Amino acid sequence: MSKTLESYKKQLHDNLQTAIELEHSTIPPYLAAYFTINQDTNTFSWNVIRSVFMEEMLHMTLACNIMNAVGGHPSIDNPKFIPEYPTKMEFADRKFDVGIIKFSKASIETFLEIEKPSEDKLMVRGEYAKNLMQPIKLKEKTIGEFYNTIKKQLVYLVDTYGEDKVFNGDKSLQITPKDYYGGGGEIVVVDNLDKALFAIDIIVDQGEGAAGTIDDGDDAYFGQDQEVAHYFRFNEIYLEQQYKPTDVPNKKPTGEKVDVNWDAVIDMVNNPKASDFPEGSPAREKAEEFNQLYSHFLRALHLAFNGQSSLIVKAIGMMYQMKYLAAELLNCQVPNSKQFAGPPFEYIMPEARKQYTWLIDELIADTKTQQN
């Protein structure tokens, strides 16, 4: 491998790592909104948010498959992987705060900012662009444009150095449809340029809409039920009205009204931290346990994307354990307040992690190895 190709691939790996971190950074805020509403009192919103964060897990998996395909290594279990909430998300034309806050108009407004569709024409599959290497600094206008830059990098590298030298990663590291997935779309095993571009199309189309429409593309790609993309799903909650299949992106939805109860929500404190709660209090104990679970979850993902693919289904199971712990936190009233505690999503260093009865055998073994 030439020095030039090495430097270009290093840049590509850095950009894909940023993509993986970006995909994951949306999951805690989405989960916080999901945890604070009730399935019975806000059924539509509950189902929408659940469907979106499950697909964000798919997007993260696809980004990891691309990273592994081009010889990189996803880094999930490290303190720089997750932001400290509230964090700031910055694009070329806007910046906004993203926090761990309850389900509300404000949280949905933030989700709309995250999933905002691009107004520019993006490169589609089979459309090749040469000599367009450029670093990603999250200065694009949307996530779609961010991924479009990665597409251009992949095409440039393959055109310049050949597919075999670019897609030279260990094929055994790929997560396959057999390993697990429980939402719309499908995991793509990436071993060449076409599959990498297709995986990116799935990510962008599910988030912003396919080819300038409100549709997420899963019906065309996989023969699944027609569904609107993430931005438009959140807009249905915000405007309390569903889209019709004939509706267009720049117009309001014209379908059936949606029942959204903005008041039937647990009043969680904004951006909870374990240290916010008194030592020895139930809220402090549950918050610290949640952080332990979340950090073990990140470890499970890291191992899954770096050779132990069977752990992906167990990692997803840990997300449901987070739901139960979050429910206990949301029952803990904050002292001298009418509000309730909530999940902090804070990183615990490996040497400070505890071994729990709910830990899976592979994580227990891995923890012991790390400590030796």
Side-chain angles (χ1 to χ4, degrees), residues 136-182:
I136 291 176
K137 297 181 180 178
L138 290 185
K139 296 300 182 183
E140 289 84 0
K141 293 180 181 179
T142 69
I143 291 176
E145 292 180 19
F146 173 94
Y147 275 106
N148 198 49
T149 299
I150 294 178
K151 272 189 169 185
K152 292 174 182 177
Q153 290 181 302
L154 287 166
V155 169
Y156 174 82
L157 287 176
V158 169
D159 282 353
T160 305
Y161 300 100
E163 196 163 61
D164 290 344
K165 289 184 178 180
V166 177
F167 289 88
N168 62 345
D170 184 347
K171 291 180 172 56
S172 70
L173 299 179
Q174 292 288 307
I175 302 294
T176 74
K178 292 181 180 179
D179 292 317
Y180 180 78
Y181 183 57

mmCIF file of all heavy atoms in Angstrom, residues 136-182:
data_model
loop_
_atom_site.group_PDB
_atom_site.id
_atom_site.type_symbol
_atom_site.label_atom_id
_atom_site.label_comp_id
_atom_site.label_asym_id
_atom_site.label_seq_id
_atom_site.Cartn_x
_atom_site.Cartn_y
_atom_site.Cartn_z
ATOM 1 N N ILE A 136 -14.121 15.403 6.616
ATOM 2 C CA ILE A 136 -15.412 15.692 7.225
ATOM 3 C C ILE A 136 -15.171 16.368 8.569
ATOM 4 O O ILE A 136 -14.494 15.809 9.418
ATOM 5 C CB ILE A 136 -16.232 14.406 7.433
ATOM 6 C CG1 ILE A 136 -16.657 13.851 6.080
ATOM 7 C CG2 ILE A 136 -17.475 14.667 8.285
ATOM 8 C CD1 ILE A 136 -17.377 12.533 6.170
ATOM 9 N N LYS A 137 -15.674 17.544 8.735
ATOM 10 C CA LYS A 137 -15.571 18.253 10.009
ATOM 11 C C LYS A 137 -16.958 18.634 10.517
ATOM 12 O O LYS A 137 -17.122 19.593 11.246
ATOM 13 C CB LYS A 137 -14.699 19.496 9.840
ATOM 14 C CG LYS A 137 -13.258 19.206 9.444
ATOM 15 C CD LYS A 137 -12.459 20.490 9.314
ATOM 16 C CE LYS A 137 -11.017 20.181 8.923
ATOM 17 N NZ LYS A 137 -10.201 21.424 8.744
ATOM 18 N N LEU A 138 -17.947 17.860 10.080
ATOM 19 C CA LEU A 138 -19.335 18.160 10.403
ATOM 20 C C LEU A 138 -19.697 19.579 9.997
ATOM 21 O O LEU A 138 -20.416 20.273 10.691
ATOM 22 C CB LEU A 138 -19.607 17.928 11.891
ATOM 23 C CG LEU A 138 -19.597 16.478 12.341
ATOM 24 C CD1 LEU A 138 -19.996 16.377 13.798
ATOM 25 C CD2 LEU A 138 -20.497 15.608 11.498
ATOM 26 N N LYS A 139 -19.140 19.998 8.868
ATOM 27 C CA LYS A 139 -19.462 21.322 8.344
ATOM 28 C C LYS A 139 -20.445 21.239 7.178
ATOM 29 O O LYS A 139 -20.777 22.250 6.574
ATOM 30 C CB LYS A 139 -18.190 22.038 7.890
ATOM 31 C CG LYS A 139 -17.216 22.326 9.033
ATOM 32 C CD LYS A 139 -17.836 23.200 10.106
ATOM 33 C CE LYS A 139 -16.828 23.501 11.209
ATOM 34 N NZ LYS A 139 -17.429 24.294 12.294
ATOM 35 N N GLU A 140 -20.868 20.028 6.860
ATOM 36 C CA GLU A 140 -21.926 19.893 5.869
ATOM 37 C C GLU A 140 -23.239 20.385 6.478
ATOM 38 O O GLU A 140 -23.347 20.577 7.688
ATOM 39 C CB GLU A 140 -22.056 18.435 5.430
ATOM 40 C CG GLU A 140 -20.889 17.931 4.576
ATOM 41 C CD GLU A 140 -19.707 17.467 5.408
ATOM 42 O OE1 GLU A 140 -19.758 17.529 6.644
ATOM 43 O OE2 GLU A 140 -18.706 17.054 4.803
ATOM 44 N N LYS A 141 -24.243 20.573 5.646
ATOM 45 C CA LYS A 141 -25.505 21.119 6.136
ATOM 46 C C LYS A 141 -26.388 20.072 6.802
ATOM 47 O O LYS A 141 -27.226 20.413 7.639
ATOM 48 C CB LYS A 141 -26.276 21.770 4.974
ATOM 49 C CG LYS A 141 -25.606 23.015 4.413
ATOM 50 C CD LYS A 141 -26.430 23.601 3.267
ATOM 51 C CE LYS A 141 -25.753 24.827 2.679
ATOM 52 N NZ LYS A 141 -26.536 25.380 1.539
ATOM 53 N N THR A 142 -26.238 18.813 6.413
ATOM 54 C CA THR A 142 -27.091 17.748 6.947
ATOM 55 C C THR A 142 -26.287 16.457 7.085
ATOM 56 O O THR A 142 -25.181 16.341 6.542
ATOM 57 C CB THR A 142 -28.298 17.465 6.022
ATOM 58 O OG1 THR A 142 -27.825 16.856 4.807
ATOM 59 C CG2 THR A 142 -29.083 18.725 5.698
ATOM 60 N N ILE A 143 -26.866 15.490 7.773
ATOM 61 C CA ILE A 143 -26.234 14.181 7.876
ATOM 62 C C ILE A 143 -26.124 13.536 6.494
ATOM 63 O O ILE A 143 -25.145 12.854 6.186
ATOM 64 C CB ILE A 143 -27.024 13.284 8.847
ATOM 65 C CG1 ILE A 143 -26.871 13.823 10.280
ATOM 66 C CG2 ILE A 143 -26.549 11.837 8.778
ATOM 67 C CD1 ILE A 143 -27.685 13.093 11.316
ATOM 68 N N GLY A 144 -27.124 13.762 5.639
ATOM 69 C CA GLY A 144 -27.077 13.217 4.285
ATOM 70 C C GLY A 144 -25.872 13.732 3.510
ATOM 71 O O GLY A 144 -25.195 12.970 2.811
ATOM 72 N N GLU A 145 -25.584 15.027 3.632
ATOM 73 C CA GLU A 145 -24.425 15.595 2.944
ATOM 74 C C GLU A 145 -23.127 15.070 3.554
ATOM 75 O O GLU A 145 -22.126 14.875 2.853
ATOM 76 C CB GLU A 145 -24.489 17.119 3.005
ATOM 77 C CG GLU A 145 -25.634 17.693 2.180
ATOM 78 C CD GLU A 145 -25.702 19.211 2.237
ATOM 79 O OE1 GLU A 145 -24.690 19.845 2.600
ATOM 80 O OE2 GLU A 145 -26.769 19.763 1.924
ATOM 81 N N PHE A 146 -23.138 14.855 4.855
ATOM 82 C CA PHE A 146 -21.998 14.245 5.548
ATOM 83 C C PHE A 146 -21.668 12.881 4.929
ATOM 84 O O PHE A 146 -20.524 12.595 4.582
ATOM 85 C CB PHE A 146 -22.380 14.122 7.025
ATOM 86 C CG PHE A 146 -21.432 13.365 7.904
ATOM 87 C CD1 PHE A 146 -20.448 14.027 8.614
ATOM 88 C CD2 PHE A 146 -21.549 11.992 8.067
ATOM 89 C CE1 PHE A 146 -19.596 13.342 9.455
ATOM 90 C CE2 PHE A 146 -20.706 11.291 8.901
ATOM 91 C CZ PHE A 146 -19.718 11.968 9.597
ATOM 92 N N TYR A 147 -22.686 12.054 4.758
ATOM 93 C CA TYR A 147 -22.468 10.736 4.160
ATOM 94 C C TYR A 147 -22.141 10.850 2.674
ATOM 95 O O TYR A 147 -21.449 9.985 2.112
ATOM 96 C CB TYR A 147 -23.689 9.840 4.366
ATOM 97 C CG TYR A 147 -23.683 9.138 5.704
ATOM 98 C CD1 TYR A 147 -24.533 9.536 6.724
ATOM 99 C CD2 TYR A 147 -22.823 8.076 5.949
ATOM 100 C CE1 TYR A 147 -24.521 8.897 7.959
ATOM 101 C CE2 TYR A 147 -22.798 7.429 7.172
ATOM 102 C CZ TYR A 147 -23.651 7.840 8.174
ATOM 103 O OH TYR A 147 -23.632 7.209 9.386
ATOM 104 N N ASN A 148 -22.620 11.865 2.038
ATOM 105 C CA ASN A 148 -22.302 12.054 0.624
ATOM 106 C C ASN A 148 -20.803 12.265 0.436
ATOM 107 O O ASN A 148 -20.207 11.800 -0.538
ATOM 108 C CB ASN A 148 -23.078 13.251 0.072
ATOM 109 C CG ASN A 148 -23.150 13.241 -1.443
ATOM 110 O OD1 ASN A 148 -23.485 12.231 -2.042
ATOM 111 N ND2 ASN A 148 -22.840 14.374 -2.059
ATOM 112 N N THR A 149 -20.175 12.961 1.396
ATOM 113 C CA THR A 149 -18.730 13.142 1.344
ATOM 114 C C THR A 149 -18.018 11.804 1.453
ATOM 115 O O THR A 149 -17.043 11.540 0.742
ATOM 116 C CB THR A 149 -18.273 14.090 2.471
ATOM 117 O OG1 THR A 149 -18.901 15.364 2.301
ATOM 118 C CG2 THR A 149 -16.768 14.264 2.458
ATOM 119 N N ILE A 150 -18.495 10.944 2.353
ATOM 120 C CA ILE A 150 -17.891 9.610 2.479
ATOM 121 C C ILE A 150 -18.061 8.821 1.186
ATOM 122 O O ILE A 150 -17.150 8.109 0.745
ATOM 123 C CB ILE A 150 -18.505 8.851 3.679
ATOM 124 C CG1 ILE A 150 -18.133 9.540 4.986
ATOM 125 C CG2 ILE A 150 -18.025 7.396 3.695
ATOM 126 C CD1 ILE A 150 -18.722 8.905 6.224
ATOM 127 N N LYS A 151 -19.214 8.945 0.557
ATOM 128 C CA LYS A 151 -19.419 8.277 -0.740
ATOM 129 C C LYS A 151 -18.366 8.719 -1.747
ATOM 130 O O LYS A 151 -17.760 7.893 -2.448
ATOM 131 C CB LYS A 151 -20.811 8.631 -1.292
ATOM 132 C CG LYS A 151 -21.945 7.745 -0.866
ATOM 133 C CD LYS A 151 -23.174 8.130 -1.689
ATOM 134 C CE LYS A 151 -24.294 7.120 -1.536
ATOM 135 N NZ LYS A 151 -25.423 7.438 -2.438
ATOM 136 N N LYS A 152 -18.150 10.024 -1.821
ATOM 137 C CA LYS A 152 -17.188 10.547 -2.782
ATOM 138 C C LYS A 152 -15.779 10.045 -2.480
ATOM 139 O O LYS A 152 -15.008 9.729 -3.401
ATOM 140 C CB LYS A 152 -17.229 12.075 -2.772
ATOM 141 C CG LYS A 152 -18.531 12.654 -3.315
ATOM 142 C CD LYS A 152 -18.567 14.163 -3.132
ATOM 143 C CE LYS A 152 -19.879 14.752 -3.634
ATOM 144 N NZ LYS A 152 -19.956 16.220 -3.393
ATOM 145 N N GLN A 153 -15.456 9.962 -1.202
ATOM 146 C CA GLN A 153 -14.147 9.432 -0.832
ATOM 147 C C GLN A 153 -13.984 7.981 -1.272
ATOM 148 O O GLN A 153 -12.945 7.596 -1.812
ATOM 149 C CB GLN A 153 -13.958 9.539 0.683
ATOM 150 C CG GLN A 153 -13.787 10.967 1.176
ATOM 151 C CD GLN A 153 -13.586 11.015 2.671
ATOM 152 O OE1 GLN A 153 -14.428 10.538 3.422
ATOM 153 N NE2 GLN A 153 -12.490 11.588 3.100
ATOM 154 N N LEU A 154 -14.988 7.179 -1.026
ATOM 155 C CA LEU A 154 -14.931 5.763 -1.414
ATOM 156 C C LEU A 154 -14.766 5.613 -2.928
ATOM 157 O O LEU A 154 -13.952 4.820 -3.402
ATOM 158 C CB LEU A 154 -16.199 5.051 -0.945
ATOM 159 C CG LEU A 154 -16.323 4.797 0.559
ATOM 160 C CD1 LEU A 154 -17.759 4.411 0.919
ATOM 161 C CD2 LEU A 154 -15.357 3.703 1.005
ATOM 162 N N VAL A 155 -15.546 6.370 -3.671
ATOM 163 C CA VAL A 155 -15.475 6.286 -5.136
ATOM 164 C C VAL A 155 -14.106 6.716 -5.630
ATOM 165 O O VAL A 155 -13.497 6.068 -6.494
ATOM 166 C CB VAL A 155 -16.590 7.145 -5.772
ATOM 167 C CG1 VAL A 155 -16.369 7.283 -7.275
ATOM 168 C CG2 VAL A 155 -17.959 6.535 -5.493
ATOM 169 N N TYR A 156 -13.591 7.806 -5.066
ATOM 170 C CA TYR A 156 -12.280 8.302 -5.479
ATOM 171 C C TYR A 156 -11.192 7.266 -5.221
ATOM 172 O O TYR A 156 -10.339 7.005 -6.083
ATOM 173 C CB TYR A 156 -11.960 9.597 -4.739
ATOM 174 C CG TYR A 156 -10.562 10.108 -5.001
ATOM 175 C CD1 TYR A 156 -10.270 10.842 -6.146
ATOM 176 C CD2 TYR A 156 -9.527 9.822 -4.114
ATOM 177 C CE1 TYR A 156 -8.979 11.294 -6.401
ATOM 178 C CE2 TYR A 156 -8.236 10.271 -4.356
ATOM 179 C CZ TYR A 156 -7.966 11.002 -5.497
ATOM 180 O OH TYR A 156 -6.694 11.441 -5.747
ATOM 181 N N LEU A 157 -11.220 6.674 -4.045
ATOM 182 C CA LEU A 157 -10.192 5.690 -3.702
ATOM 183 C C LEU A 157 -10.246 4.459 -4.611
ATOM 184 O O LEU A 157 -9.215 3.951 -5.057
ATOM 185 C CB LEU A 157 -10.337 5.267 -2.236
ATOM 186 C CG LEU A 157 -9.897 6.301 -1.197
ATOM 187 C CD1 LEU A 157 -10.182 5.804 0.212
ATOM 188 C CD2 LEU A 157 -8.423 6.630 -1.349
ATOM 189 N N VAL A 158 -11.450 3.965 -4.877
ATOM 190 C CA VAL A 158 -11.583 2.796 -5.750
ATOM 191 C C VAL A 158 -11.147 3.135 -7.166
ATOM 192 O O VAL A 158 -10.440 2.349 -7.824
ATOM 193 C CB VAL A 158 -13.032 2.262 -5.727
ATOM 194 C CG1 VAL A 158 -13.246 1.230 -6.838
ATOM 195 C CG2 VAL A 158 -13.336 1.637 -4.374
ATOM 196 N N ASP A 159 -11.561 4.302 -7.675
ATOM 197 C CA ASP A 159 -11.159 4.698 -9.022
ATOM 198 C C ASP A 159 -9.647 4.870 -9.135
ATOM 199 O O ASP A 159 -9.045 4.588 -10.171
ATOM 200 C CB ASP A 159 -11.835 6.019 -9.409
ATOM 201 C CG ASP A 159 -13.277 5.833 -9.824
ATOM 202 O OD1 ASP A 159 -13.717 4.671 -9.940
ATOM 203 O OD2 ASP A 159 -13.976 6.847 -10.017
ATOM 204 N N THR A 160 -9.018 5.325 -8.061
ATOM 205 C CA THR A 160 -7.587 5.633 -8.099
ATOM 206 C C THR A 160 -6.704 4.431 -7.792
ATOM 207 O O THR A 160 -5.668 4.231 -8.439
ATOM 208 C CB THR A 160 -7.267 6.764 -7.098
ATOM 209 O OG1 THR A 160 -8.105 7.888 -7.374
ATOM 210 C CG2 THR A 160 -5.808 7.186 -7.202
ATOM 211 N N TYR A 161 -7.110 3.598 -6.839
ATOM 212 C CA TYR A 161 -6.235 2.530 -6.355
ATOM 213 C C TYR A 161 -6.777 1.124 -6.594
ATOM 214 O O TYR A 161 -6.051 0.146 -6.400
ATOM 215 C CB TYR A 161 -5.964 2.714 -4.861
ATOM 216 C CG TYR A 161 -5.300 4.034 -4.543
ATOM 217 C CD1 TYR A 161 -6.040 5.103 -4.053
ATOM 218 C CD2 TYR A 161 -3.941 4.220 -4.759
ATOM 219 C CE1 TYR A 161 -5.444 6.325 -3.767
ATOM 220 C CE2 TYR A 161 -3.327 5.434 -4.485
ATOM 221 C CZ TYR A 161 -4.081 6.488 -3.994
ATOM 222 O OH TYR A 161 -3.490 7.677 -3.729
ATOM 223 N N GLY A 162 -8.023 1.014 -6.985
ATOM 224 C CA GLY A 162 -8.610 -0.298 -7.232
ATOM 225 C C GLY A 162 -9.382 -0.816 -6.030
ATOM 226 O O GLY A 162 -9.037 -0.564 -4.879
ATOM 227 N N GLU A 163 -10.438 -1.553 -6.317
ATOM 228 C CA GLU A 163 -11.338 -2.019 -5.268
ATOM 229 C C GLU A 163 -10.656 -2.969 -4.281
ATOM 230 O O GLU A 163 -10.903 -2.909 -3.076
ATOM 231 C CB GLU A 163 -12.556 -2.702 -5.905
ATOM 232 C CG GLU A 163 -13.728 -2.880 -4.975
ATOM 233 C CD GLU A 163 -15.010 -3.167 -5.737
ATOM 234 O OE1 GLU A 163 -15.048 -4.203 -6.439
ATOM 235 O OE2 GLU A 163 -15.961 -2.372 -5.642
ATOM 236 N N ASP A 164 -9.766 -3.830 -4.766
ATOM 237 C CA ASP A 164 -9.123 -4.812 -3.892
ATOM 238 C C ASP A 164 -8.273 -4.137 -2.817
ATOM 239 O O ASP A 164 -8.180 -4.639 -1.691
ATOM 240 C CB ASP A 164 -8.253 -5.771 -4.701
ATOM 241 C CG ASP A 164 -9.067 -6.728 -5.557
ATOM 242 O OD1 ASP A 164 -10.287 -6.843 -5.294
ATOM 243 O OD2 ASP A 164 -8.503 -7.330 -6.486
ATOM 244 N N LYS A 165 -7.631 -3.019 -3.157
ATOM 245 C CA LYS A 165 -6.776 -2.336 -2.185
ATOM 246 C C LYS A 165 -7.592 -1.500 -1.195
ATOM 247 O O LYS A 165 -7.127 -1.232 -0.091
ATOM 248 C CB LYS A 165 -5.765 -1.454 -2.906
ATOM 249 C CG LYS A 165 -4.692 -2.241 -3.640
ATOM 250 C CD LYS A 165 -3.654 -1.322 -4.254
ATOM 251 C CE LYS A 165 -2.560 -2.128 -4.954
ATOM 252 N NZ LYS A 165 -1.531 -1.263 -5.574
ATOM 253 N N VAL A 166 -8.772 -1.100 -1.600
ATOM 254 C CA VAL A 166 -9.620 -0.295 -0.716
ATOM 255 C C VAL A 166 -10.440 -1.196 0.206
ATOM 256 O O VAL A 166 -10.468 -1.011 1.427
ATOM 257 C CB VAL A 166 -10.545 0.635 -1.525
ATOM 258 C CG1 VAL A 166 -11.467 1.422 -0.585
ATOM 259 C CG2 VAL A 166 -9.719 1.589 -2.381
ATOM 260 N N PHE A 167 -11.080 -2.191 -0.374
ATOM 261 C CA PHE A 167 -11.935 -3.096 0.399
ATOM 262 C C PHE A 167 -11.131 -4.363 0.747
ATOM 263 O O PHE A 167 -11.386 -5.447 0.244
ATOM 264 C CB PHE A 167 -13.214 -3.426 -0.380
ATOM 265 C CG PHE A 167 -14.146 -2.261 -0.454
ATOM 266 C CD1 PHE A 167 -14.045 -1.338 -1.482
ATOM 267 C CD2 PHE A 167 -15.110 -2.053 0.528
ATOM 268 C CE1 PHE A 167 -14.892 -0.235 -1.534
ATOM 269 C CE2 PHE A 167 -15.956 -0.955 0.490
ATOM 270 C CZ PHE A 167 -15.848 -0.039 -0.541
ATOM 271 N N ASN A 168 -10.158 -4.161 1.625
ATOM 272 C CA ASN A 168 -9.233 -5.240 1.988
ATOM 273 C C ASN A 168 -9.398 -5.653 3.447
ATOM 274 O O ASN A 168 -8.501 -6.256 4.032
ATOM 275 C CB ASN A 168 -7.789 -4.816 1.730
ATOM 276 C CG ASN A 168 -7.380 -3.605 2.570
ATOM 277 O OD1 ASN A 168 -8.231 -2.920 3.128
ATOM 278 N ND2 ASN A 168 -6.091 -3.344 2.652
ATOM 279 N N GLY A 169 -10.535 -5.345 4.046
ATOM 280 C CA GLY A 169 -10.772 -5.685 5.439
ATOM 281 C C GLY A 169 -11.103 -7.149 5.644
ATOM 282 O O GLY A 169 -11.439 -7.874 4.695
ATOM 283 N N ASP A 170 -11.014 -7.579 6.897
ATOM 284 C CA ASP A 170 -11.311 -8.962 7.273
ATOM 285 C C ASP A 170 -12.815 -9.215 7.141
ATOM 286 O O ASP A 170 -13.620 -8.622 7.853
ATOM 287 C CB ASP A 170 -10.856 -9.187 8.722
ATOM 288 C CG ASP A 170 -11.027 -10.627 9.187
ATOM 289 O OD1 ASP A 170 -11.713 -11.402 8.503
ATOM 290 O OD2 ASP A 170 -10.486 -10.960 10.262
ATOM 291 N N LYS A 171 -13.195 -10.092 6.232
ATOM 292 C CA LYS A 171 -14.616 -10.350 5.968
ATOM 293 C C LYS A 171 -15.327 -10.997 7.154
ATOM 294 O O LYS A 171 -16.557 -10.893 7.287
ATOM 295 C CB LYS A 171 -14.768 -11.230 4.720
ATOM 296 C CG LYS A 171 -14.382 -10.526 3.416
ATOM 297 C CD LYS A 171 -14.544 -11.439 2.218
ATOM 298 C CE LYS A 171 -14.352 -10.700 0.898
ATOM 299 N NZ LYS A 171 -13.047 -10.017 0.804
ATOM 300 N N SER A 172 -14.586 -11.649 8.029
ATOM 301 C CA SER A 172 -15.217 -12.298 9.190
ATOM 302 C C SER A 172 -15.734 -11.289 10.211
ATOM 303 O O SER A 172 -16.475 -11.655 11.129
ATOM 304 C CB SER A 172 -14.226 -13.250 9.862
ATOM 305 O OG SER A 172 -13.186 -12.536 10.519
ATOM 306 N N LEU A 173 -15.356 -10.022 10.078
ATOM 307 C CA LEU A 173 -15.789 -8.998 11.018
ATOM 308 C C LEU A 173 -17.160 -8.411 10.664
ATOM 309 O O LEU A 173 -17.706 -7.616 11.432
ATOM 310 C CB LEU A 173 -14.758 -7.867 11.083
ATOM 311 C CG LEU A 173 -13.357 -8.259 11.560
ATOM 312 C CD1 LEU A 173 -12.431 -7.046 11.540
ATOM 313 C CD2 LEU A 173 -13.405 -8.867 12.946
ATOM 314 N N GLN A 174 -17.714 -8.798 9.518
ATOM 315 C CA GLN A 174 -18.990 -8.243 9.089
ATOM 316 C C GLN A 174 -20.155 -8.764 9.947
ATOM 317 O O GLN A 174 -20.237 -9.955 10.254
ATOM 318 C CB GLN A 174 -19.256 -8.603 7.629
ATOM 319 C CG GLN A 174 -18.322 -7.916 6.649
ATOM 320 C CD GLN A 174 -18.596 -6.430 6.505
ATOM 321 O OE1 GLN A 174 -19.717 -6.005 6.230
ATOM 322 N NE2 GLN A 174 -17.557 -5.632 6.707
ATOM 323 N N ILE A 175 -21.040 -7.845 10.340
ATOM 324 C CA ILE A 175 -22.311 -8.223 10.958
ATOM 325 C C ILE A 175 -23.265 -8.579 9.820
ATOM 326 O O ILE A 175 -23.386 -7.828 8.845
ATOM 327 C CB ILE A 175 -22.895 -7.080 11.798
ATOM 328 C CG1 ILE A 175 -21.908 -6.634 12.890
ATOM 329 C CG2 ILE A 175 -24.233 -7.493 12.417
ATOM 330 C CD1 ILE A 175 -21.629 -7.664 13.944
ATOM 331 N N THR A 176 -23.936 -9.723 9.910
ATOM 332 C CA THR A 176 -24.811 -10.201 8.839
ATOM 333 C C THR A 176 -26.273 -10.144 9.277
ATOM 334 O O THR A 176 -26.561 -10.012 10.475
ATOM 335 C CB THR A 176 -24.459 -11.644 8.458
ATOM 336 O OG1 THR A 176 -24.923 -12.531 9.498
ATOM 337 C CG2 THR A 176 -22.946 -11.816 8.289
ATOM 338 N N PRO A 177 -27.193 -10.258 8.331
ATOM 339 C CA PRO A 177 -28.621 -10.299 8.712
ATOM 340 C C PRO A 177 -28.944 -11.433 9.674
ATOM 341 O O PRO A 177 -29.908 -11.345 10.439
ATOM 342 C CB PRO A 177 -29.326 -10.485 7.367
ATOM 343 C CG PRO A 177 -28.397 -9.897 6.359
ATOM 344 C CD PRO A 177 -27.023 -10.229 6.873
ATOM 345 N N LYS A 178 -28.150 -12.497 9.651
ATOM 346 C CA LYS A 178 -28.395 -13.612 10.563
ATOM 347 C C LYS A 178 -28.035 -13.270 12.008
ATOM 348 O O LYS A 178 -28.544 -13.881 12.945
ATOM 349 C CB LYS A 178 -27.586 -14.838 10.122
ATOM 350 C CG LYS A 178 -28.050 -15.439 8.801
ATOM 351 C CD LYS A 178 -27.211 -16.656 8.438
ATOM 352 C CE LYS A 178 -27.658 -17.260 7.114
ATOM 353 N NZ LYS A 178 -26.830 -18.443 6.738
ATOM 354 N N ASP A 179 -27.129 -12.295 12.178
ATOM 355 C CA ASP A 179 -26.679 -11.947 13.526
ATOM 356 C C ASP A 179 -27.781 -11.262 14.331
ATOM 357 O O ASP A 179 -27.905 -11.479 15.521
ATOM 358 C CB ASP A 179 -25.439 -11.048 13.467
ATOM 359 C CG ASP A 179 -24.225 -11.790 12.937
ATOM 360 O OD1 ASP A 179 -24.020 -12.937 13.353
ATOM 361 O OD2 ASP A 179 -23.499 -11.219 12.099
ATOM 362 N N TYR A 180 -28.539 -10.391 13.686
ATOM 363 C CA TYR A 180 -29.697 -9.773 14.339
ATOM 364 C C TYR A 180 -30.059 -8.470 13.647
ATOM 365 O O TYR A 180 -29.193 -7.750 13.188
ATOM 366 C CB TYR A 180 -29.446 -9.445 15.817
ATOM 367 C CG TYR A 180 -30.650 -8.806 16.493
ATOM 368 C CD1 TYR A 180 -31.718 -9.583 16.888
ATOM 369 C CD2 TYR A 180 -30.714 -7.439 16.695
ATOM 370 C CE1 TYR A 180 -32.829 -9.020 17.487
ATOM 371 C CE2 TYR A 180 -31.817 -6.859 17.296
ATOM 372 C CZ TYR A 180 -32.863 -7.655 17.702
ATOM 373 O OH TYR A 180 -33.962 -7.095 18.283
ATOM 374 N N TYR A 181 -31.342 -8.208 13.619
ATOM 375 C CA TYR A 181 -31.849 -6.850 13.426
ATOM 376 C C TYR A 181 -33.342 -6.865 13.618
ATOM 377 O O TYR A 181 -34.006 -7.788 13.162
ATOM 378 C CB TYR A 181 -31.485 -6.249 12.067
ATOM 379 C CG TYR A 181 -31.991 -4.824 11.976
ATOM 380 C CD1 TYR A 181 -31.598 -3.887 12.919
ATOM 381 C CD2 TYR A 181 -32.930 -4.444 11.030
ATOM 382 C CE1 TYR A 181 -32.103 -2.616 12.897
ATOM 383 C CE2 TYR A 181 -33.424 -3.166 11.002
ATOM 384 C CZ TYR A 181 -33.016 -2.244 11.940
ATOM 385 O OH TYR A 181 -33.515 -0.984 11.939
ATOM 386 N N GLY A 182 -33.883 -5.848 14.269
ATOM 387 C CA GLY A 182 -35.297 -5.875 14.612
ATOM 388 C C GLY A 182 -36.085 -4.660 14.178
ATOM 389 O O GLY A 182 -37.081 -4.323 14.805
#
